[in-house]
Amino acid sequence: MRWALVKVSLAVTAMVVVAFAVPLGLVVKEMARDRAFSNAERRAAGLAPVLAITTDRDELDKAVATTEDGPAGRLAVHVPAAEPGTTDLEIGTRRATDEDLATTRGLGRATIAEVPGGFALLQPTALSSGKVAVLELFVPEGEVSNGVATAWLVLAGVGIALIVGSVAVADRLGVRMVRPAQRLAGAAHDLGEGRLGARVPEEGPPELKSAAVAFNSMADQVVQLLANERELAADLSHRLRTPLTVLRLNAASLGSGPAADQTRAAVEQLEREVDIIIRTARDAKPQTQATGPGAGCDAAEVVRERMGFWSALAEDEGRRVRIAGVERPVRIPVARPELVAALDALLGNVFRHTPEGTAFSIDLHNGDDAVIVLVSDAGPGIADPAAALARGNSGGRDGSTGLGLDIVRRMAENTGGDVAIGHSVLGGTEVRIWIGLDGRRSGGAGRRDRRPARRRRGGTGARRAADG
């Protein structure tokens, strides 16, 4: 579209310039010609009174010598013979032919004859004898075209300036129209690849602005639909965990025997099937990293909402829960669905891999350039934190999808932060999520030396494995 506008503007402006510049140049050329011959007629008219008084050769020689054109060899006087048998009188340098002179005498008015090097102005003058003398004034080609080349150059310069200006204006207009369209296409491509935080500025021509508004509204609805779907999956998971726990406890109390073994195997198979469903859903989960203007969420509100969700199960299992740092809004450059998935993964690990009655907490720290989320528990801890952080590592255990900490780490690294596992003040595991606020997309290793020091405490007993 941009180049099409430029081409149309170039064609239209070029036609306008040609339509006006060419006729104007021809007018300038004609005006220069008329000016040169008008000056020549004026100079020739100065010698007419002398011819009206006398046709004496000496007198005419003196008169021609006193003119501007006579000494330059551009003036000639043609006087016909007064008496039969005498010759015509010619003074000066002759360039016109006899035919041109005869034509001028016959017409009785000034004529112009083309001669080598220019033009000859032939001016008839009546003598006292009744004869007609002719004054011949030579006009060089340079005088006829004087100033024409300069005028053509000026017109050409003006035409080129108009063409360049119109092309520049058309290009700017094209950019104003094309850039919003390109941004809209890029955002649509990002949305198609699963980056649901993609948004476009609502600017540009009215039509493209309306398209941007519609696109952003559509993207918000898609994100909301996926969030609702994730909420539904989380609710289903919550509903399934409690019956599975009851079944597992009941199966453990059945003792030995084929029926008991079959029941326990069925419960384990059911747990594996639920984990497969969770793993498949997370593998297909699109990226929802906030990338558009104004994208992100309130981390404090999300923490309160998710803790409200998990508190029901915590109450059933007799777990003490504590949250801190959520009294004020904490804006982070992470889409809400992404943060919800990360918190659900960490809290799900706490419930899955710590005994019932184990306390846990979430602390939110808001800094100048980063937000830190701490998820702590009083469980047995993690034996190998580095292995737990490996992408997709489940330790080969049943009941682990191997994607929980990978989701958390990907969310943090997309903001320039990172994830670390340590010992919590509660005596178990602490997962520290460092979320950058400066918008950089580099790895978070460089931030580790700036973290505030915390007192670490942990036992020497067996460490639990995280759902990495």
Side-chain angles (χ1 to χ4, degrees):
M1 181 184 296
R2 177 180 177 183
W3 289 113
L5 288 175
V6 170
K7 291 177 181 178
V8 169
S9 176
L10 177 63
V12 172
T13 307
M15 287 189 295
V16 171
V17 168
V18 170
F20 283 92
V22 172
L24 187 58
L26 295 177
V27 169
V28 169
K29 181 179 180 181
E30 191 64 26
M31 289 177 62
R33 177 185 176 91
D34 292 343
R35 183 178 60 250
F37 288 119
S38 296
N39 291 335
E41 288 182 3
R42 178 180 53 79
R43 296 196 302 270
L47 198 60
V50 178
L51 287 173
I53 297 173
T54 180
T55 58
D56 182 69
R57 185 181 187 88
D58 294 335
E59 296 294 333
L60 292 177
D61 284 336
K62 292 179 182 180
V64 170
T66 59
T67 62
E68 176 184 351
D69 300 298
R74 298 190 299 182
L75 180 63
V77 179
H78 306 280
V79 181
E83 299 293 338
T86 60
T87 60
D88 295 339
L89 177 62
E90 291 188 0
I91 300 173
T93 304
R94 175 177 177 174
R95 291 180 175 83
T97 63
D98 293 337
E99 183 179 356
D100 294 332
L101 297 176
T103 301
T104 301
R105 290 190 178 98
L107 293 175
R109 56 181 177 81
T111 60
I112 298 174
E114 188 173 353
V115 296
F119 301 88
L121 175 66
L122 303 177
Q123 179 69 47
T125 302
L127 302 176
S128 58
S129 61
K131 301 288 185 176
V132 177
V134 177
L135 294 174
E136 177 188 339
L137 188 64
F138 175 68
V139 180
E141 178 67 30
E143 289 188 9
V144 175
S145 61
N146 184 28
V148 174
T150 303
W152 275 101
L153 288 176
V154 171
L155 291 175
V158 172
I160 293 174
L162 288 175
I163 292 175
V164 172
S166 65
V167 169
V169 171
D171 182 69
R172 291 299 90 196
L173 292 176
V175 168
R176 185 173 179 268
M177 295 178 62
V178 170
R179 282 184 178 174
Q182 290 176 338
R183 285 194 293 264
L184 184 60
H189 180 73
D190 293 340
L191 187 64
E193 291 185 346
R195 291 187 285 273
L196 300 182
R199 299 295 185 275
V200 292
E202 297 174 358
E203 59 187 18
E207 296 79 5
L208 292 177
K209 185 175 180 180
S210 299
V213 172
F215 175 85
N216 290 339
S217 176
M218 178 195 68
D220 292 338
Q221 292 179 7
V222 170
V223 172
Q224 186 60 43
L225 290 174
L226 291 179
N228 294 340
E229 181 181 353
R230 185 173 291 110
E231 291 290 341
L232 180 61
D235 183 67
L236 178 61
S237 175
H238 172 76
R239 293 174 183 271
L240 290 176
R241 289 297 179 186
T242 301
L244 285 174
T245 301
V246 175
L247 288 174
R248 187 169 57 252
L249 293 175
N250 291 339
S253 64
L254 291 178
S256 60
D261 293 339
Q262 290 178 0
T263 302
R264 283 190 288 269
V267 172
E268 293 177 357
Q269 178 65 26
L270 181 58
E271 286 184 332
R272 284 194 294 269
E273 293 296 335
V274 171
D275 289 337
I276 290 174
I277 294 174
I278 295 174
R279 182 184 296 110
T280 303
R282 288 178 177 173
D283 282 338
K285 181 180 70 65
Q287 299 179 6
T288 55
Q289 175 63 32
T291 58
C297 67
D298 179 5
E301 188 272 333
V302 174
V303 170
R304 291 195 302 267
E305 191 270 334
R306 297 319 296 161
M307 287 299 290
F309 174 82
W310 288 95
S311 61
L313 182 58
E315 184 178 355
D316 293 342
E317 296 186 358
R319 299 175 183 268
R320 290 185 295 107
V321 179
R322 181 183 65 85
I323 59 175
V326 296
E327 297 81 10
R328 298 179 180 179
V330 180
R331 297 294 303 180
I332 60 174
V334 176
R336 177 185 174 88
E338 193 79 7
L339 182 60
V340 169
L343 291 176
D344 284 348
L346 295 179
L347 294 176
N349 283 347
V350 173
F351 281 88
R352 184 176 298 112
H353 299 295
T354 61
E356 293 187 9
T358 301
F360 66 94
S361 66
I362 296 183
D363 297 272
L364 193 62
H365 300 276
N366 188 12
D368 294 334
D369 61 347
V371 170
I372 300 176
V373 181
L374 302 177
V375 179
S376 308
D377 63 59
I382 296 179
D384 190 352
L389 283 173
R391 295 185 181 273
N393 179 30
S394 65
R397 301 174 294 102
D398 292 336
S400 175
T401 61
L403 293 173
L405 285 178
D406 190 36
I407 293 174
V408 177
R409 179 174 57 184
R410 182 174 56 193
M411 177 203 70
E413 290 179 349
N414 283 339
T415 67
D418 62 0
V419 178
I421 298 177
H423 304 308
S424 74
V425 295
L426 299 179
T429 300
E430 175 187 86
V431 179
R432 177 188 296 250
I433 309 173
W434 186 283
I435 301 175
L437 299 179
D438 55 5
R440 290 183 293 180
R441 291 293 181 267
S442 60
R447 297 181 179 272
R448 295 180 181 176
D449 59 343
R450 296 191 295 168
R451 294 174 184 165
R454 285 183 56 91
R455 180 168 56 91
R456 306 293 186 188
R457 185 180 64 188
T460 59
R463 305 299 184 192
R464 66 178 172 84
D467 184 17

Short mmCIF file of all heavy atoms in Angstrom, two decimals, residues 287-325:
data_model
loop_
_atom_site.label_atom_id
_atom_site.label_comp_id
_atom_site.label_asym_id
_atom_site.label_seq_id
_atom_site.Cartn_x
_atom_site.Cartn_y
_atom_site.Cartn_z
N GLN A 287 1.83 -19.70 25.38
CA GLN A 287 2.49 -18.66 26.17
C GLN A 287 1.55 -17.48 26.34
O GLN A 287 0.94 -17.03 25.39
CB GLN A 287 3.77 -18.19 25.48
CG GLN A 287 4.79 -19.29 25.30
CD GLN A 287 6.02 -18.79 24.59
OE1 GLN A 287 6.15 -17.61 24.33
NE2 GLN A 287 6.91 -19.70 24.28
N THR A 288 1.49 -16.99 27.56
CA THR A 288 0.62 -15.85 27.83
C THR A 288 1.42 -14.72 28.44
O THR A 288 0.90 -13.93 29.21
CB THR A 288 -0.51 -16.25 28.78
OG1 THR A 288 0.05 -16.82 29.98
CG2 THR A 288 -1.42 -17.28 28.14
N GLN A 289 2.71 -14.66 28.11
CA GLN A 289 3.54 -13.58 28.64
C GLN A 289 3.02 -12.23 28.16
O GLN A 289 2.71 -12.05 26.99
CB GLN A 289 4.99 -13.75 28.18
CG GLN A 289 5.90 -12.62 28.59
CD GLN A 289 6.00 -12.49 30.09
OE1 GLN A 289 5.93 -13.46 30.80
NE2 GLN A 289 6.15 -11.28 30.57
N ALA A 290 2.92 -11.30 29.10
CA ALA A 290 2.39 -9.98 28.75
C ALA A 290 3.36 -9.26 27.84
O ALA A 290 4.51 -9.07 28.18
CB ALA A 290 2.16 -9.16 30.02
N THR A 291 2.92 -8.88 26.65
CA THR A 291 3.77 -8.17 25.70
C THR A 291 3.17 -6.88 25.21
O THR A 291 3.84 -6.05 24.66
CB THR A 291 4.06 -9.05 24.48
OG1 THR A 291 2.81 -9.42 23.87
CG2 THR A 291 4.79 -10.32 24.89
N GLY A 292 1.90 -6.70 25.33
CA GLY A 292 1.24 -5.50 24.80
C GLY A 292 1.31 -4.36 25.77
O GLY A 292 1.69 -4.49 26.93
N PRO A 293 0.95 -3.13 25.31
CA PRO A 293 0.95 -1.96 26.16
C PRO A 293 -0.08 -2.10 27.27
O PRO A 293 -1.23 -2.44 27.04
CB PRO A 293 0.59 -0.82 25.19
CG PRO A 293 -0.11 -1.48 24.06
CD PRO A 293 0.49 -2.83 23.94
N GLY A 294 0.37 -1.89 28.51
CA GLY A 294 -0.54 -1.96 29.63
C GLY A 294 -0.84 -3.38 30.08
O GLY A 294 -1.68 -3.59 30.95
N ALA A 295 -0.15 -4.40 29.48
CA ALA A 295 -0.43 -5.78 29.86
C ALA A 295 0.22 -6.08 31.19
O ALA A 295 1.13 -5.41 31.64
CB ALA A 295 0.08 -6.73 28.77
N GLY A 296 -0.23 -7.15 31.85
CA GLY A 296 0.28 -7.53 33.15
C GLY A 296 -0.88 -7.78 34.09
O GLY A 296 -2.04 -7.89 33.69
N CYS A 297 -0.56 -7.90 35.39
CA CYS A 297 -1.61 -8.16 36.36
C CYS A 297 -1.17 -7.66 37.72
O CYS A 297 -0.02 -7.26 37.93
CB CYS A 297 -1.93 -9.65 36.41
SG CYS A 297 -0.59 -10.67 37.06
N ASP A 298 -2.09 -7.70 38.66
CA ASP A 298 -1.83 -7.35 40.04
C ASP A 298 -1.48 -8.63 40.78
O ASP A 298 -2.34 -9.48 41.02
CB ASP A 298 -3.06 -6.67 40.65
CG ASP A 298 -2.86 -6.29 42.11
OD1 ASP A 298 -1.74 -6.47 42.62
OD2 ASP A 298 -3.83 -5.81 42.73
N ALA A 299 -0.19 -8.79 41.13
CA ALA A 299 0.26 -10.02 41.78
C ALA A 299 -0.41 -10.22 43.13
O ALA A 299 -0.73 -11.35 43.51
CB ALA A 299 1.78 -10.01 41.93
N ALA A 300 -0.63 -9.14 43.87
CA ALA A 300 -1.26 -9.26 45.18
C ALA A 300 -2.68 -9.82 45.05
O ALA A 300 -3.09 -10.70 45.82
CB ALA A 300 -1.28 -7.91 45.88
N GLU A 301 -3.42 -9.33 44.08
CA GLU A 301 -4.80 -9.80 43.88
C GLU A 301 -4.81 -11.26 43.46
O GLU A 301 -5.66 -12.05 43.92
CB GLU A 301 -5.49 -8.92 42.84
CG GLU A 301 -6.99 -9.17 42.68
CD GLU A 301 -7.28 -10.27 41.67
OE1 GLU A 301 -6.44 -10.47 40.76
OE2 GLU A 301 -8.32 -10.94 41.82
N VAL A 302 -3.86 -11.67 42.59
CA VAL A 302 -3.80 -13.06 42.15
C VAL A 302 -3.45 -13.98 43.31
O VAL A 302 -4.03 -15.06 43.47
CB VAL A 302 -2.79 -13.21 41.00
CG1 VAL A 302 -2.62 -14.67 40.62
CG2 VAL A 302 -3.24 -12.41 39.78
N VAL A 303 -2.49 -13.55 44.17
CA VAL A 303 -2.11 -14.38 45.32
C VAL A 303 -3.29 -14.56 46.27
O VAL A 303 -3.57 -15.67 46.74
CB VAL A 303 -0.91 -13.74 46.06
CG1 VAL A 303 -0.65 -14.45 47.39
CG2 VAL A 303 0.34 -13.82 45.19
N ARG A 304 -4.02 -13.48 46.53
CA ARG A 304 -5.18 -13.58 47.41
C ARG A 304 -6.24 -14.54 46.82
O ARG A 304 -6.81 -15.36 47.53
CB ARG A 304 -5.80 -12.20 47.64
CG ARG A 304 -4.95 -11.27 48.48
CD ARG A 304 -5.76 -10.08 48.97
NE ARG A 304 -6.34 -9.34 47.86
CZ ARG A 304 -5.76 -8.29 47.28
NH1 ARG A 304 -4.56 -7.89 47.69
NH2 ARG A 304 -6.35 -7.66 46.29
N GLU A 305 -6.46 -14.42 45.53
CA GLU A 305 -7.47 -15.25 44.88
C GLU A 305 -7.08 -16.72 44.90
O GLU A 305 -7.91 -17.59 45.21
CB GLU A 305 -7.68 -14.75 43.45
CG GLU A 305 -8.90 -15.36 42.74
CD GLU A 305 -8.53 -16.63 42.01
OE1 GLU A 305 -7.34 -16.77 41.64
OE2 GLU A 305 -9.41 -17.49 41.82
N ARG A 306 -5.81 -17.04 44.59
CA ARG A 306 -5.39 -18.43 44.55
C ARG A 306 -5.32 -19.04 45.96
O ARG A 306 -5.64 -20.21 46.15
CB ARG A 306 -4.02 -18.58 43.86
CG ARG A 306 -4.01 -18.17 42.41
CD ARG A 306 -5.23 -18.61 41.66
NE ARG A 306 -5.36 -20.07 41.58
CZ ARG A 306 -6.49 -20.69 41.30
NH1 ARG A 306 -7.60 -19.99 41.10
NH2 ARG A 306 -6.52 -22.00 41.22
N MET A 307 -4.90 -18.25 46.93
CA MET A 307 -4.89 -18.76 48.29
C MET A 307 -6.31 -19.01 48.78
O MET A 307 -6.56 -19.95 49.54
CB MET A 307 -4.16 -17.78 49.21
CG MET A 307 -2.66 -17.76 49.01
SD MET A 307 -1.88 -19.35 49.35
CE MET A 307 -2.08 -19.43 51.13
N GLY A 308 -7.26 -18.16 48.34
CA GLY A 308 -8.65 -18.43 48.68
C GLY A 308 -9.13 -19.74 48.07
O GLY A 308 -9.94 -20.46 48.67
N PHE A 309 -8.62 -20.05 46.88
CA PHE A 309 -9.00 -21.30 46.23
C PHE A 309 -8.43 -22.51 46.97
O PHE A 309 -9.13 -23.49 47.22
CB PHE A 309 -8.52 -21.27 44.77
CG PHE A 309 -8.73 -22.56 44.03
CD1 PHE A 309 -9.96 -22.85 43.47
CD2 PHE A 309 -7.71 -23.49 43.91
CE1 PHE A 309 -10.16 -24.04 42.78
CE2 PHE A 309 -7.90 -24.67 43.23
CZ PHE A 309 -9.14 -24.95 42.66
N TRP A 310 -7.12 -22.44 47.31
CA TRP A 310 -6.46 -23.59 47.93
C TRP A 310 -6.75 -23.70 49.43
O TRP A 310 -6.46 -24.73 50.04
CB TRP A 310 -4.96 -23.51 47.73
CG TRP A 310 -4.52 -23.78 46.31
CD1 TRP A 310 -4.27 -22.86 45.34
CD2 TRP A 310 -4.29 -25.05 45.72
NE1 TRP A 310 -3.90 -23.48 44.18
CE2 TRP A 310 -3.90 -24.84 44.37
CE3 TRP A 310 -4.37 -26.36 46.18
CZ2 TRP A 310 -3.60 -25.87 43.50
CZ3 TRP A 310 -4.06 -27.40 45.31
CH2 TRP A 310 -3.69 -27.15 43.99
N SER A 311 -7.27 -22.65 50.02
CA SER A 311 -7.49 -22.67 51.48
C SER A 311 -8.52 -23.72 51.88
O SER A 311 -8.46 -24.26 52.99
CB SER A 311 -7.93 -21.29 51.96
OG SER A 311 -9.15 -20.91 51.35
N ALA A 312 -9.48 -24.00 50.99
CA ALA A 312 -10.49 -25.01 51.33
C ALA A 312 -9.83 -26.38 51.52
O ALA A 312 -10.11 -27.10 52.50
CB ALA A 312 -11.55 -25.08 50.24
N LEU A 313 -8.93 -26.77 50.60
CA LEU A 313 -8.24 -28.03 50.74
C LEU A 313 -7.28 -28.00 51.92
O LEU A 313 -7.12 -29.01 52.63
CB LEU A 313 -7.48 -28.35 49.44
CG LEU A 313 -6.73 -29.68 49.40
CD1 LEU A 313 -7.70 -30.85 49.64
CD2 LEU A 313 -6.01 -29.86 48.07
N ALA A 314 -6.65 -26.84 52.15
CA ALA A 314 -5.75 -26.72 53.29
C ALA A 314 -6.51 -26.93 54.60
O ALA A 314 -6.02 -27.57 55.54
CB ALA A 314 -5.06 -25.36 53.27
N GLU A 315 -7.70 -26.40 54.68
CA GLU A 315 -8.51 -26.58 55.87
C GLU A 315 -8.90 -28.04 56.06
O GLU A 315 -8.90 -28.56 57.18
CB GLU A 315 -9.76 -25.70 55.78
CG GLU A 315 -10.63 -25.74 57.03
CD GLU A 315 -11.83 -24.83 56.90
OE1 GLU A 315 -11.92 -24.09 55.89
OE2 GLU A 315 -12.69 -24.84 57.82
N ASP A 316 -9.23 -28.72 54.95
CA ASP A 316 -9.57 -30.14 55.04
C ASP A 316 -8.41 -30.96 55.58
O ASP A 316 -8.60 -31.94 56.31
CB ASP A 316 -9.99 -30.67 53.68
CG ASP A 316 -11.31 -30.07 53.21
OD1 ASP A 316 -12.05 -29.54 54.07
OD2 ASP A 316 -11.58 -30.11 51.99
N GLU A 317 -7.16 -30.59 55.20
CA GLU A 317 -5.99 -31.36 55.60
C GLU A 317 -5.32 -30.81 56.85
O GLU A 317 -4.25 -31.28 57.24
CB GLU A 317 -4.97 -31.40 54.45
CG GLU A 317 -5.50 -32.12 53.21
CD GLU A 317 -4.44 -32.27 52.14
OE1 GLU A 317 -3.31 -31.77 52.35
OE2 GLU A 317 -4.73 -32.89 51.11
N GLY A 318 -5.91 -29.81 57.45
CA GLY A 318 -5.37 -29.28 58.71
C GLY A 318 -4.07 -28.53 58.54
O GLY A 318 -3.20 -28.55 59.43
N ARG A 319 -3.90 -27.83 57.47
CA ARG A 319 -2.67 -27.06 57.22
C ARG A 319 -2.86 -25.60 57.63
O ARG A 319 -3.89 -25.01 57.33
CB ARG A 319 -2.29 -27.11 55.72
CG ARG A 319 -2.01 -28.49 55.17
CD ARG A 319 -1.76 -28.43 53.69
NE ARG A 319 -1.56 -29.74 53.09
CZ ARG A 319 -0.37 -30.31 52.92
NH1 ARG A 319 0.73 -29.67 53.32
NH2 ARG A 319 -0.27 -31.50 52.36
N ARG A 320 -1.86 -25.06 58.29
CA ARG A 320 -1.87 -23.64 58.61
C ARG A 320 -1.34 -22.86 57.40
O ARG A 320 -0.32 -23.22 56.82
CB ARG A 320 -1.02 -23.34 59.84
CG ARG A 320 -1.63 -23.85 61.15
CD ARG A 320 -0.83 -23.42 62.36
NE ARG A 320 0.51 -24.02 62.37
CZ ARG A 320 1.63 -23.35 62.10
NH1 ARG A 320 1.57 -22.07 61.79
NH2 ARG A 320 2.79 -23.98 62.13
N VAL A 321 -2.02 -21.78 57.08
CA VAL A 321 -1.68 -20.99 55.89
C VAL A 321 -1.40 -19.56 56.31
O VAL A 321 -2.14 -18.98 57.13
CB VAL A 321 -2.83 -21.02 54.86
CG1 VAL A 321 -2.48 -20.18 53.65
CG2 VAL A 321 -3.14 -22.45 54.44
N ARG A 322 -0.38 -18.96 55.71
CA ARG A 322 -0.06 -17.56 55.98
C ARG A 322 0.31 -16.87 54.66
O ARG A 322 1.05 -17.43 53.85
CB ARG A 322 1.11 -17.43 56.95
CG ARG A 322 1.48 -15.98 57.30
CD ARG A 322 2.70 -15.94 58.21
NE ARG A 322 3.87 -16.45 57.54
CZ ARG A 322 4.67 -15.71 56.75
NH1 ARG A 322 4.37 -14.43 56.52
NH2 ARG A 322 5.73 -16.25 56.19
N ILE A 323 -0.21 -15.67 54.48
CA ILE A 323 0.17 -14.84 53.32
C ILE A 323 0.58 -13.47 53.84
O ILE A 323 0.05 -12.98 54.85
CB ILE A 323 -0.97 -14.72 52.28
CG1 ILE A 323 -2.22 -14.10 52.92
CG2 ILE A 323 -1.29 -16.06 51.67
CD1 ILE A 323 -3.32 -13.84 51.91
N ALA A 324 1.52 -12.84 53.15
CA ALA A 324 2.03 -11.52 53.55
C ALA A 324 2.38 -10.72 52.31
O ALA A 324 2.73 -11.27 51.26
CB ALA A 324 3.25 -11.67 54.46
N GLY A 325 2.30 -9.40 52.46
CA GLY A 325 2.68 -8.49 51.38
C GLY A 325 1.63 -8.31 50.31
O GLY A 325 1.95 -7.83 49.22
#
